[in-house]
Amino acid sequence: MPEEALLMSMSIIIVYLIVMAYLGVFAGKKGKLTAEDYFLARGTIGLLPLMLSFAATWTSAWYFLSAAGYMYLHGLAYYCAFSFNVICGLMIYWVGKRVWILGHEFGFMSQMDIVGDYYGSTWLGYLVCILLLAFTLPHIQIQMIGTGIMFQYASYGLIPFWLGCFIGGAVVTFYIWYGGRRAEIYTD
């Protein structure tokens, strides 16, 4: 392995991790110490950052590690899937604005609150929470696996897979813990 390439790769990894941590700290300092600001960024995120965040979430580790092979096997028609980003981003903005108004008016902080209140069922709210966790946790795991793989290869094996997963998870935990939803938007 060429030493120059290793030095360049490790420098990029370190700078990337520092920038992510800094964005989390910056987002935390910009926000207020309230639950509404932590979880919802007080509804101050505009359409463009929201859509970019959605696209970044959609085209994350799975995209970098497998989309090229999928496109090779299935052809350019796969690019039509990217219109999903625009459509979903607009739907989230259109529906999200109304949900934000309801949340602001009635003090809702999550989908669990909205569904539970609308249908008058605490248990239905809990079911929504369980379903969201069931579908979100695998996505988070895929991101950490992708992070471990990328760190392992970018460092020429100097950072083992498990350590790459741990470092990625620690940095994500740090910036989310410190800056909440705003940090997630900024780092996307």
Side-chain angles (χ1 to χ4, degrees):
M1 119 187 70
E3 289 184 27
E4 297 85 22
L6 177 61
L7 181 62
M8 179 62 80
S9 292
M10 293 306 296
S11 298
I12 290 170
I13 290 171
I14 291 167
V15 167
Y16 172 78
L17 294 173
I18 290 170
V19 168
M20 293 297 106
Y22 172 78
L23 286 172
V25 171
F26 176 75
K29 288 182 177 180
K30 190 172 181 180
K32 294 183 178 179
L33 295 176
T34 64
E36 182 184 17
D37 189 71
Y38 182 82
F39 291 110
L40 306 172
R42 289 179 291 129
T44 59
I45 304 299
L47 176 61
L48 182 62
L50 181 66
M51 289 180 69
L52 290 173
S53 177
F54 186 78
T57 300
W58 179 252
T59 57
S60 51
W62 75 267
Y63 181 78
F64 291 113
L65 299 176
S66 64
Y70 193 87
M71 283 187 247
Y72 177 77
L73 288 174
H74 300 285
L76 291 176
Y78 178 70
Y79 278 112
C80 294
F82 290 112
S83 62
F84 179 75
N85 287 333
V86 175
I87 293 168
C88 284
L90 290 172
M91 288 300 295
I92 288 171
Y93 186 74
W94 181 64
V95 173
K97 187 172 185 175
R98 286 153 179 78
V99 169
W100 179 81
I101 290 169
L102 287 172
H104 191 68
E105 187 175 328
F106 296 104
F108 299 143
M109 295 288 289
S110 68
Q111 296 93 330
M112 180 178 140
D113 296 336
I114 294 167
V115 171
D117 187 69
Y118 184 80
Y119 291 103
S121 171
T122 304
W123 289 106
L124 189 57
Y126 288 134
L127 178 62
V128 166
C129 180
I130 290 167
L131 287 173
L132 287 171
L133 282 172
F135 288 104
T136 302
L137 290 177
H139 180 75
I140 293 170
Q141 290 171 328
I142 289 169
Q143 300 309 317
M144 292 304 103
I145 290 168
T147 301
I149 291 169
M150 286 189 257
F151 279 5
Q152 181 180 10
Y153 283 98
S155 70
Y156 294 90
L158 188 63
I159 299 174
F161 169 76
W162 69 268
L163 185 57
C165 293
F166 178 78
I167 291 170
V171 170
V172 170
T173 300
F174 172 79
Y175 71 68
I176 294 294
W177 192 291
Y178 200 90
R181 178 74 172 138
R182 185 176 284 107
E184 185 265 328
I185 296 283
Y186 287 178
T187 56
D188 274 351

